[in-house]
Amino acid sequence: MESELKDLTPKSSEPFPSDDDGSTKGDRPLLKPDSTTAAATAANSNTISQPNLEELEKKYAAYVRNDVYGVMGRGELPWMEKVLLGMALVTIVPLRVMAATTILVAYYLVCKVCTVCLVPNREDEQEDYAHMGGWRREVIVQVGRFLSRAMLFVLGFYWIDESYRNPFVDEKSNAETECKDQSEEPERPGAIVSNHVSYLDILYHMSSSFPSFVAKRSVAKLPLVGLISKCLGCVYVQRESKSSDFKGVSGVVNERVQEAHQNKLAPMMMLFPEGTTTNGDFLLPFKTGAFLSKTPVLPVILRYPYQRFSPAWDSISGVRHVIFLLCQFVNHIEVKRLPVYYPSQQEKDDPRLYADNVRRLMAREGNLTLSNIGLAEKRVYHAALNGLFVQQ
């Protein structure tokens, strides 16, 4: 499931020119350099030199892989790593594939049983079962959380190191907290905001709080996963289009965030405001979609410590990433949950300020480096890397 979230504001703030059809150049598929880029690369040189590669990695540091598998997971491996990969491919990988498939099918069947004879909630071209009540919803949530954790275990995440930040953000937040009536029940956040490192982020958040995500519209039509996404209450977007439907999705997300803030029984929204994945050491500029509703948010920081293979999904293909991940005997994840962030009136009036302040807080608490690049630059970097390996 692709969970990259584009800016949900009607007006894009990205300084990249649009094509005549209204789509930006950043809308091109990942890992597929367009003909213009390929022609320019071929015209400039027959091969990309090492100095040029170093320049690329310096410019696009947020997407550079630093593990032993190298650029795009295609680096020259030490002989010991090759031996470990070979052993894993004939031992734990088949077992993990069978276990993961069993978990996926089992949860699909649970969702199928719980939604039988039910009509999904349809509104603004969205379709979901997340608003059902009673035992059906309870079974879907509890079984979903358990099986998501089981899936992480199958993938080698045997332990999850979770920490909780003491309830203070800065002097502003302290002052606001002191002004609150102590007898007043704390406000429920309308959304969880998290840095985005890998598709594994989704599994963790499902096991932790089982929120709703933003996903491509095509996800709803996938076998098995499609029904599961509807039970999660995913908000579907058409990433290749910026039509009036885009504004409709923005409205749906804001309504869902407001609903989660006001109703404890409503599914909480999970948003990745960076809009794409990084290598886990950087924090990209935040889109404002998660902050337009003016409700409190719950910041969560994810890290994936590693020794050999990095679980970050940055500049490596999906198939290669899954294979290498399955070959790792042990994988690690660290989670830092910050206190609920209550926006000031100034932040409510200025979503950009709200987003920037939450981003700086997360960068400070998570020891992450702030980066000013985004999804468009990621695609440029991927196109350049593809040109490198095609020409070699």
Side-chain angles (χ1 to χ4, degrees), residues 217-223 226 230:
R217 191 177 299 279
S218 58
V219 170
K221 301 178 181 179
L222 293 176
K230 293 176 183 178

Side-chain angles (χ1 to χ4, degrees), residues 269-291:
M269 284 298 302
M270 171 72 242
L271 300 173
F272 300 107
E274 292 173 283
T276 189
T277 54
T278 68
N279 59 16
D281 296 325
F282 292 80
L283 201 60
L284 307 181
F286 278 8
K287 310 295 185 181
T288 57
F291 308 94

Side-chain angles (χ1 to χ4, degrees), residues 161-165 299-303 334-338 364-366:
D161 183 8
E162 294 183 285
S163 61
Y164 298 83
R165 187 71 168 86
V300 178
I301 304 167
L302 303 180
R303 300 295 293 263
E334 294 179 352
V335 182
K336 191 169 188 178
R337 305 176 74 87
L338 303 182
R364 184 175 70 247
E365 296 294 336

Side-chain angles (χ1 to χ4, degrees), residues 77-331:
L77 298 177
W79 68 270
M80 180 57 71
E81 188 66 25
K82 294 179 180 179
V83 171
L84 293 174
L85 280 177
M87 293 174 56
L89 283 170
V90 298
T91 55
I92 63 173
V93 170
L95 295 176
R96 284 178 169 176
V97 170
M98 288 189 294
T101 303
T102 300
I103 291 173
L104 179 61
V105 172
Y107 190 51
Y108 168 80
L109 293 176
V110 169
C111 293
K112 192 70 174 177
V113 170
C114 290
T115 57
V116 66
C117 299
L118 287 183
V119 177
N121 177 55
R122 292 188 177 93
E123 184 179 358
D124 297 322
E125 298 186 14
Q126 302 295 322
E127 182 176 334
D128 71 82
Y129 291 98
H131 293 80
M132 73 175 76
W135 65 269
R136 297 173 186 261
R137 179 62 183 171
E138 187 68 17
V139 169
I140 285 179
V141 171
Q142 296 305 324
V143 174
R145 293 182 62 180
F146 174 78
L147 292 182
S148 297
R149 182 64 187 92
M151 183 72 81
L152 286 172
F153 187 89
V154 167
L155 296 177
F157 294 92
Y158 307 123
W159 304 277
I160 296 180
D161 183 8
E162 294 183 285
S163 61
Y164 298 83
R165 187 71 168 86
N166 290 331
F168 96 97
V169 175
D170 51 28
E171 293 181 359
K172 171 189 71 64
S173 297
N174 280 335
E176 290 181 0
T177 302
E178 291 174 1
C179 292
K180 287 180 177 289
D181 186 351
Q182 294 185 0
S183 63
E184 181 183 355
E185 185 178 358
E187 293 183 78
R188 185 180 192 237
I192 302 170
V193 293
S194 173
N195 62 318
H196 203 8
V197 185
S198 173
Y199 52 83
L200 298 166
D201 303 348
I202 297 175
L203 282 176
Y204 167 74
H205 287 296
M206 285 180 63
S207 69
S208 175
S209 52
F210 204 80
S212 300
F213 297 87
V214 175
K216 287 182 64 174
R217 191 177 299 279
S218 58
V219 170
K221 301 178 181 179
L222 293 176
L224 304 181
V225 176
L227 178 60
I228 294 174
S229 70
K230 293 176 183 178
C231 290
L232 274 166
C234 287
V235 176
Y236 302 111
V237 299
Q238 189 67 34
R239 291 181 54 81
E240 293 78 11
S241 173
K242 283 191 175 181
S243 62
S244 58
D245 170 69
F246 188 69
K247 183 178 180 180
V249 171
S250 173
V252 172
V253 170
N254 283 317
E255 289 177 3
R256 293 283 294 276
V257 172
Q258 287 281 0
E259 181 186 14
H261 174 57
Q262 299 169 3
N263 182 5
K264 291 183 179 181
L265 299 179
M268 192 175 297
M269 284 298 302
M270 171 72 242
L271 300 173
F272 300 107
E274 292 173 283
T276 189
T277 54
T278 68
N279 59 16
D281 296 325
F282 292 80
L283 201 60
L284 307 181
F286 278 8
K287 310 295 185 181
T288 57
F291 308 94
L292 293 173
S293 61
K294 306 178 182 182
T295 62
V297 296
L298 176 63
V300 178
I301 304 167
L302 303 180
R303 300 295 293 263
Y304 294 86
Y306 64 92
Q307 293 182 347
R308 295 157 49 221
F309 175 75
S310 169
W313 191 25
D314 35 41
S315 58
I316 184 173
S317 70
V319 174
R320 189 179 297 267
H321 188 280
V322 170
I323 293 174
F324 288 158
L325 181 74
L326 291 173
C327 288
Q328 304 305 303
F329 292 94
V330 180
N331 291 296

Side-chain angles (χ1 to χ4, degrees), residues 6-7 11-17 24 26 242 287 374-376:
K6 282 196 173 182
D7 194 346
K11 297 183 179 180
S12 173
S13 61
E14 295 181 3
F16 296 99
T24 64
K242 283 191 175 181
K287 310 295 185 181
L375 180 59

